[in-house]
Amino acid sequence: TGNLLSRDSFQQRMEKNNPIGMHELIVPILQGFDSVQLKSDIEIGGTDQLFNFKISRQMQELFHQEPENCFLMPIINGTDGRKMSKSFGNCIFINDEPQDIFGKVMSISDTTMFEWIPLFFDSEIEKQHPIKMKKVLAHKVTELIWGTELADKSQNHFETVIQGDALPENICEIEHSTLIDSIMAIRNSSKNEARRLLKAKAVKVNGEVVLKEEVELKTGDIIKIGKRDFGKIK
């Protein structure tokens, strides 16, 4: 407990009589037990994990294990410009589909792009239009996870389908139904969300924006929602 409460931020809060949550004391101990159970040699995390890493190393020593080596990495901002965090839903995961990874990188702001570039390139990339620079970055990130061939395909998909008017190679087929039901099936959304998308002019049928849910669909019609989601009536 003494080691836990010696944390600078805890000391400052106690001096100001600000409360410390029980979870803030328990989490470092549980994280330390993870390292003990795994007998981990290496742990990688953000710079905000320094204190927890220290506790993990001490826990391993208590259990007569060699304390792990800890690598601290700078905290980066996620796709929405906030701290990258699973709880914010602004991460790029290694099991994301290649097209989704490429698209996520293309969705970041120019400011975030310039924060990410030094993390993925040993030297500066050629100064050009931000969209072109972002494509270079998106290709690099996708390539690191999925390889060059899928990175090339993902870029081609982005340029022909997302930026252009081409259709993706594989469009999910949905049962013939109402427009609202079709939107719900494509987006896996609620009826209210489907209606919101219509009002936001985010839905196209055969390339034309539709605003009314009473549109009659026929076999072969292509529904596009936003820039990425497609469905074909069967």
Side-chain angles (χ1 to χ4, degrees), residues 162-226:
I162 307 302
Q163 290 184 309
D165 296 320
L167 296 175
E169 293 180 4
N170 299 312
I171 301 179
C172 70
E173 292 190 334
I174 54 178
E175 296 291 340
H176 193 291
S177 57
T178 66
L179 180 59
I180 289 294
D181 286 341
S182 299
I183 296 170
M184 291 169 62
I186 296 169
R187 273 288 181 95
N188 191 27
S189 66
S190 66
K191 187 169 287 188
N192 287 337
E193 173 65 9
R195 287 182 172 137
R196 186 196 68 77
L197 288 165
L198 275 175
K199 290 180 181 179
K201 300 181 180 180
V203 180
K204 292 182 179 180
V205 176
N206 299 327
E208 299 292 330
V209 175
V210 292
L211 298 174
K212 298 181 179 180
E213 58 185 88
E214 295 81 12
V215 170
E216 184 177 342
L217 300 175
K218 60 183 182 298
T219 301
D221 282 348
I222 302 294
I223 301 171
K224 182 179 182 182
I225 306 173

Side-chain angles (χ1 to χ4, degrees), residues 118-132:
L119 302 176
F120 292 96
F121 297 92
D122 294 329
S123 57
E124 290 188 9
I125 65 175
E126 180 186 353
K127 298 290 185 184
Q128 49 189 321
H129 192 281
I131 289 293
K132 291 184 178 180

